[in-house]
Amino acid sequence: MNRICNLFGIKYPIIQGGMVWCSGWRLASAVSNAGGLGLIGAGSMHPETLCEHIRKCKAATDQPFGVNIPLMYPEINTLINMVIEEGVKIVFTSAGNPKIWTEHLHEHGILVAHVVASTKFAAKCEEAGVDAS
Ligand SMILES: Cc1cc2nc3c(=O)[nH]c(=O)nc-3n(C[C@H](O)[C@H](O)[C@H](O)COP(=O)(O)O)c2cc1C
C-alpha cells in the first residue's frame, strides 16, 4: 500500500500503460481484476468504440480502471464528454498540455494523471493540478 494505491483504490502500485491498438477492455479489466490499475487506450478508438470498451470493462470488473486519452486526439471534446457521461472515475491524459483539461475533469469528480517521461515534466504536471504523473 502506498499513495498511488490509496489514490486509485488499488491493491498493488502497478499501472498498465495505456497503449493505442493494444489496451482495450479485455486487458484493462484483467489488470484491474488482478489488483493493478487497468487503462483503456482511447487513442486508437473512434468515440463509439471507446464507449463500447468502457461499458464492457465496467461489466468485466468491479475494480477501479481508467481511460488514457492522448490530448492530440482530433475529436478530443467528444472523447472527454464520453468519459464523463459514462461515469469513468480515472483519466490518464498524455501527449499534450495537462493544463487544458484537468480542471474540467476534476469538476466532474474524475481523478487525473498525466503521462510524462521525466521529473522535469512531472513538475509541470504538478503545477497544472493533476493528481499524479
Ligand atoms: C505499443 C505501445 C503503445 C502505446 N500507446 C500509448 C498511448 O496511447 N498513450 C500513452 O500515453 N502512452 C502510450 N504508450 C506508452 C506507454 O503507456 C508507457 O508510458 C511506456 O511504454 C513507458 O512505460 P514502460 O517503461 O513500462 O514501457 C505506448 C507504448 C507502447 C509500447
Side-chain angles (χ1 to χ4, degrees), residues 17-20 22 41 43 68 70 94 115:
M19 294 176 284
V20 285
C22 311
N68 165 239
S94 59
V115 182

Side-chain angles (χ1 to χ4, degrees), residues 1-120:
M1 188 51 83
N2 64 15
R3 283 190 294 160
I4 281 291
C5 291
N6 279 329
L7 179 66
F8 295 124
I10 54 179
K11 190 171 175 189
Y12 305 113
I14 295 173
I15 297 169
Q16 167 237 311
M19 294 176 284
V20 285
W21 305 114
C22 311
S23 59
W25 69 271
R26 287 184 184 84
L27 178 62
S29 61
V31 171
S32 291
N33 281 331
L37 183 69
L39 296 181
I40 297 171
S44 50
M45 296 180 182
H46 290 296
E48 59 273 20
T49 309
L50 175 61
C51 185
E52 184 187 331
H53 279 259
I54 291 170
R55 290 179 183 182
K56 286 184 172 169
C57 201
K58 276 191 222 165
T61 183
D62 57 3
Q63 299 300 309
F65 71 92
V67 175
N68 165 239
I69 303 181
L71 297 177
M72 60 199 286
Y73 191 93
E75 293 176 77
I76 185 73
N77 288 284
T78 310
L79 280 206
I80 296 279
N81 288 337
M82 164 89 59
V83 298
I84 292 169
E85 280 165 21
E86 289 299 319
V88 171
K89 300 288 178 222
I90 300 168
V91 167
F92 274 57
T93 51
S94 59
N97 183 346
K99 284 186 181 158
I100 299 170
W101 289 102
T102 297
E103 194 180 338
H104 184 67
L105 291 165
H106 277 166
E107 282 167 3
H108 289 87
I110 296 173
L111 287 171
V112 182
H114 191 77
V115 182
V116 286
S118 72
T119 49
K120 180 182 161 195

